[in-house]
Amino acid sequence: MDWSRFDAAFAECYSSDMGAPAKSVRLMVGLHYLKYAFNETDESVVARWVENPYWQYFCGYTHMQHVCPIHPTCMTKWRHRVGDARLAEMLAETIDLAVRQKHLPEKDLQRVIVDTTVQEKNITHPTDSKLLFRAIVKLAQAARREGITLRQTYVRVGKFGAIRAARYAHAKQFGRMQRENRRLKTYVGRLIRDIRRKAAGVSDKLAKLLELAERLICQQPQDKNKLYSLHEPDVRCIAKGKAHKRYEFGQKVSVATTNRGNWIVATMMVPGNPYDGHTLAGTLAAVETITGIAVA
């Protein structure tokens, strides 16, 4: 593998005269390769790296390390810093390595198969009562951080209201369930108004939370682009016609593979839930950018 390629690609993201000395590019790139190859999380790949000398050698270390040199959150910060365009270099190097090792003929890169799937987010199944109660908790916590004294937090009564709504739904007493949901909406609305009255200056984080809370209490069952999660507001409810899973909550992803061999040559996250045919042009352009070969 050509590790010097990553040094050149990520050079603009590093500074030699600012802050603490940065971790090596090979370490960060190697950890991400291992993460996706073995389907690990940021936390688990760092934990396994410490006890696996083969992984350490892959990341450029020649002696056994007993402590990982980074914290798992550093991987998230590093991804945000380098951006999506530079991260595509990892996939490009994988494809180039396969071509150099003669595992992938170049002619196979001229014909690809493009399809879309859903990348599910790590959220619970969204219900009105659950979302409204989470909004109550988050608003109360945000007000406490901002030093705002609320007339009432509604956390305790909101918890019991969410429990009652879930029990009524289980018993198919939907009228009573809707009554509890309306009560929870009232609590959220009171918190929003109380915070806006007492906040001298609203921070960006609190303003975003207030906007999401207002969007939550205003949305109707038949609305489009509904809010399904407060910490993942971009989540969409997508139906792909699967027999075992009627609806999936996440974001649409377009994937391109070679016609022969099924080598993944491009992936692209698609905002919203567009028609699959409308994602084709962007995915083919990404294939040509990554592989450097025009698709026939």
Side-chain angles (χ1 to χ4, degrees), residues 245-269:
K245 189 175 292 187
R246 188 175 179 184
Y247 299 107
E248 295 175 283
F249 297 94
Q251 290 182 279
K252 182 171 284 191
V253 177
S254 181
V255 182
T257 63
T258 57
N259 190 34
R260 298 179 60 186
N262 288 331
W263 287 82
I264 296 178
V265 291
T267 59
M268 185 177 66
M269 194 276 291

Side-chain angles (χ1 to χ4, degrees), residues 1 6 12 27 62-63 99 122 124 137 143 145 149-150 159-160 178 192 225 235 255 273:
M1 184 170 289
F6 301 116
E12 296 180 357
L27 171 65
T62 57
H63 295 79
V99 173
N122 186 23
T124 61
V137 173
R145 286 194 301 267
T149 303
L150 298 174
K159 177 181 178 181
F160 292 128
Q178 293 296 342
I192 293 173
N225 300 326
V235 165
V255 182
N273 185 17

Side-chain angles (χ1 to χ4, degrees), residues 193-213:
R193 292 189 294 273
D194 198 11
I195 291 174
R196 290 195 183 280
R197 280 195 304 266
K198 297 178 179 178
V202 179
S203 62
D204 294 340
K205 188 174 182 180
L206 180 56
K208 183 178 180 181
L209 180 59
L210 290 171
E211 180 183 352
L212 291 175

Side-chain angles (χ1 to χ4, degrees), residues 115-118 237-249 252 273 276:
D115 197 5
T116 61
T117 186
V118 179
C237 179
I238 302 175
K240 297 292 287 184
K242 298 178 181 178
H244 66 286
K245 189 175 292 187
R246 188 175 179 184
Y247 299 107
E248 295 175 283
F249 297 94
K252 182 171 284 191
N273 185 17
D276 287 359

Side-chain angles (χ1 to χ4, degrees), residues 94-291:
T94 304
I95 297 170
D96 291 345
L97 179 62
V99 173
R100 292 196 301 267
Q101 297 291 332
K102 301 188 184 303
H103 297 299
L104 175 62
E106 285 192 17
K107 64 179 182 179
D108 288 357
L109 297 173
Q110 298 177 357
R111 300 192 66 182
V112 297
I113 299 172
V114 180
D115 197 5
T116 61
T117 186
V118 179
Q119 181 182 6
E120 292 187 282
K121 294 292 186 178
N122 186 23
I123 66 171
T124 61
H125 185 80
T127 62
D128 290 339
S129 58
K130 192 184 300 182
L131 285 171
L132 290 167
F133 175 63
R134 288 303 303 164
I136 291 172
V137 173
K138 284 183 173 291
L139 286 171
Q141 292 174 346
R144 189 181 303 113
R145 286 194 301 267
E146 297 286 335
I148 301 173
T149 303
L150 298 174
R151 184 179 60 180
Q152 184 177 350
T153 63
Y154 299 99
V155 173
R156 182 175 178 275
V157 292
K159 177 181 178 181
F160 292 128
I163 292 173
R164 285 193 297 269
R167 289 175 176 173
Y168 288 145
H170 180 71
K172 293 184 171 54
Q173 298 177 6
F174 298 114
R176 293 179 176 178
M177 180 196 72
Q178 293 296 342
R179 183 187 64 196
E180 295 297 334
N181 288 339
R182 287 194 297 270
R183 184 175 290 134
L184 290 171
K185 284 186 178 181
T186 302
Y187 296 157
V188 175
R190 289 176 182 174
L191 284 172
I192 293 173
R193 292 189 294 273
D194 198 11
I195 291 174
R196 290 195 183 280
R197 280 195 304 266
K198 297 178 179 178
V202 179
S203 62
D204 294 340
K205 188 174 182 180
L206 180 56
K208 183 178 180 181
L209 180 59
L210 290 171
E211 180 183 352
L212 291 175
E214 289 178 341
R215 177 182 166 190
L216 178 62
I217 62 177
C218 293
Q219 67 185 12
Q220 299 299 319
Q222 302 302 324
D223 287 349
K224 294 184 178 180
N225 300 326
K226 293 177 65 177
L227 181 65
Y228 296 102
S229 173
L230 291 172
H231 74 278
E232 289 284 358
D234 295 327
V235 165
R236 295 289 181 266
C237 179
I238 302 175
K240 297 292 287 184
K242 298 178 181 178
H244 66 286
K245 189 175 292 187
R246 188 175 179 184
Y247 299 107
E248 295 175 283
F249 297 94
Q251 290 182 279
K252 182 171 284 191
V253 177
S254 181
V255 182
T257 63
T258 57
N259 190 34
R260 298 179 60 186
N262 288 331
W263 287 82
I264 296 178
V265 291
T267 59
M268 185 177 66
M269 194 276 291
V270 184
N273 185 17
Y275 170 62
D276 287 359
H278 297 163
T279 67
L280 185 59
T283 307
L284 293 179
V287 171
E288 295 178 355
T289 301
I290 292 173
T291 62

